[in-house]
Amino acid sequence: MSKAATILLRLLLVAVGFFVVTFTVYIFNLDMKLTALIEPFLLKHYDKIERDTHL
């Protein structure tokens, strides 16, 4: 195999791997499940912030 073909094959494998990972995240809704896990920590942090409530 030529050097160019090897590079293209590796690029194709990386692209397919990236697609498989993102497709799995999409199908199982993993991004929102992660968000649901970290939401209590974020709410706790943002509830501590002082706010200027003057209009």
Side-chain angles (χ1 to χ4, degrees):
M1 272 172 90
S2 68
K3 189 174 182 180
T6 305
I7 291 172
L8 285 175
L9 180 63
R10 286 184 182 177
L11 187 61
L12 179 67
L13 288 175
V14 167
V16 168
F18 180 75
F19 174 76
V20 167
V21 169
T22 55
F23 186 74
T24 304
V25 167
Y26 173 75
I27 289 297
F28 293 110
N29 201 19
L30 297 177
D31 54 338
M32 293 309 296
K33 290 179 182 178
L34 177 63
T35 304
L37 278 176
I38 64 173
E39 184 183 16
F41 301 108
L42 292 173
L43 290 176
K44 190 167 138 182
H45 168 72
Y46 285 109
D47 284 344
K48 290 180 182 177
I49 296 175
E50 288 190 29
R51 291 173 179 82
D52 183 15
T53 55
H54 298 102
L55 296 176

